[in-house]
Amino acid sequence: DTEVTQTPKHLVMGMTNKKSLKCEQHMGHRAMYWYKQKAKKPPELMFVYSYEKLSINESVPSRFSPECPNSSLLNLHLHALQPEDSALYLCASSPPGGWTEAFFGQGTRLTVV
Amino acid sequence: AQKVTQAQTEISVVEKEDVTLDCVYETRDTTYYLFWYKQPPSGELVFLIRRNSFDEQNEISGRYSWNFQKSTSSFNFTITASQVVDSAVYFCALSGTTSGTYKYIFGTGTRLKVLA
């Protein structure tokens, strides 16, 4: 199984809502990532978890809160988002060490209204 | 600092033409890894090829080939006999470290349009 599964595929939320994005992989990868991608831009790293611990936070606003409950799951909790946070959110996983490719999910297209 | 530059914003070719996508990278790591990904309109990033910094042998895999030159910090990607299904955005990426944790750094992408 070489898949990274993200749910939901699409999400529309108001600025006062709380929602969560979910990501799951069963490849035994111990590094998991959240990327944000705006239209016609490259993926931009938000967070890296290595062995279920937060290793990199790229100065992401606190309205984005990541969580790694176990080695297969990665969540991104959203609260009080702004319209400019509308984007494609991509989850990825890889063995730690960067020596091989990261596997990406299909992403969640988030619209904040 | 680690950086990936893709100078070509958009390329249009006619089906069956060969096309080369350029990538230049910057890193201070002595060991590093380079990748090419394809992103079709559906949004998923699809892995294509990988190259490590200590192996400059260029290879061909089907219609894909790549040219890695450490001396010029370039990692170019060629599609031979392009097809309409190759139309997508192509990203070059570098894996680099921050405080011992690896992350994947992407270039700005090249949009390839293959016309029938």
Side-chain angles (χ1 to χ4, degrees):
Chain A
D1 183 2
T2 58
E3 277 193 352
V4 176
T5 304
Q6 288 187 244
T7 56
K9 289 192 169 33
H10 300 272
L11 178 62
V12 179
M13 61 183 290
M15 289 189 285
T16 58
N17 291 159
K18 285 185 180 180
K19 295 286 184 182
S20 296
L21 308 185
K22 296 186 184 303
C23 174
E24 188 169 7
Q25 58 89 14
H26 295 288
M27 293 176 278
H29 292 165
R30 302 304 294 275
M32 296 187 76
Y33 313 79
W34 280 115
Y35 282 84
K36 173 183 177 179
Q37 188 178 22
K38 302 280 279 184
K40 298 191 177 183
K41 296 290 186 182
E44 188 179 306
L45 183 67
M46 301 175 71
F47 303 104
V48 180
Y49 273 83
S50 182
Y51 294 97
E52 296 86 67
K53 291 187 178 177
L54 183 63
S55 299
I56 295 178
N57 176 341
E58 296 284 34
S59 303
V60 178
S62 60
R63 56 185 184 269
F64 295 92
S65 175
E67 178 196 21
C68 189
N70 61 54
S71 59
S72 300
L73 293 173
L74 185 66
N75 298 323
L76 186 62
H77 303 297
L78 314 173
H79 173 54
L81 294 194
Q82 304 297 309
E84 57 265 28
D85 295 322
S86 299
L88 179 68
Y89 288 83
L90 291 161
C91 173
S93 73
S94 75
W99 55 269
T100 189
E101 65 274 17
F103 290 79
F104 283 80
Q106 288 195 316
T108 295
R109 290 195 183 274
L110 173 68
T111 303
V112 182
V113 298
Chain B
Q2 294 141 344
K3 186 179 177 182
V4 178
T5 301
Q6 294 178 252
Q8 302 153 310
T9 305
E10 186 168 314
I11 300 175
S12 291
V13 298
V14 176
E15 203 170 20
K16 297 184 184 177
E17 285 185 358
D18 298 347
V19 57
T20 296
L21 309 181
D22 298 334
C23 173
V24 174
Y25 62 91
E26 296 175 31
T27 181
R28 292 181 185 168
D29 292 341
T30 53
T31 299
Y32 52 89
Y33 302 87
L34 296 160
F35 310 87
W36 277 96
Y37 283 86
K38 173 182 178 180
Q39 188 174 41
S42 60
E44 182 179 0
L45 280 163
V46 178
F47 165 73
L48 297 175
I49 58 174
R50 171 183 69 239
R51 175 56 62 199
N52 59 54
S53 58
F54 44 89
D55 183 359
E56 288 194 69
Q57 182 177 354
N58 295 312
E59 292 187 19
I60 297 173
S61 176
R63 295 189 298 112
Y64 299 154
S65 62
W66 50 100
N67 187 328
F68 172 45
Q69 293 193 344
K70 261 177 116 166
S71 59
T72 56
S73 297
S74 66
F75 184 48
N76 297 337
F77 173 61
T78 297
I79 303 174
T80 302
S82 60
Q83 301 174 2
V84 172
V85 293
D86 295 328
S87 298
V89 180
Y90 289 80
F91 290 100
C92 180
L94 166 72
S95 70
T97 56
T98 296
S99 303
T101 298
Y102 275 87
K103 60 184 181 181
Y104 296 84
I105 301 146
F106 287 84
T108 49
T110 298
R111 182 174 300 274
L112 174 64
K113 292 184 179 179
V114 181
L115 308 172

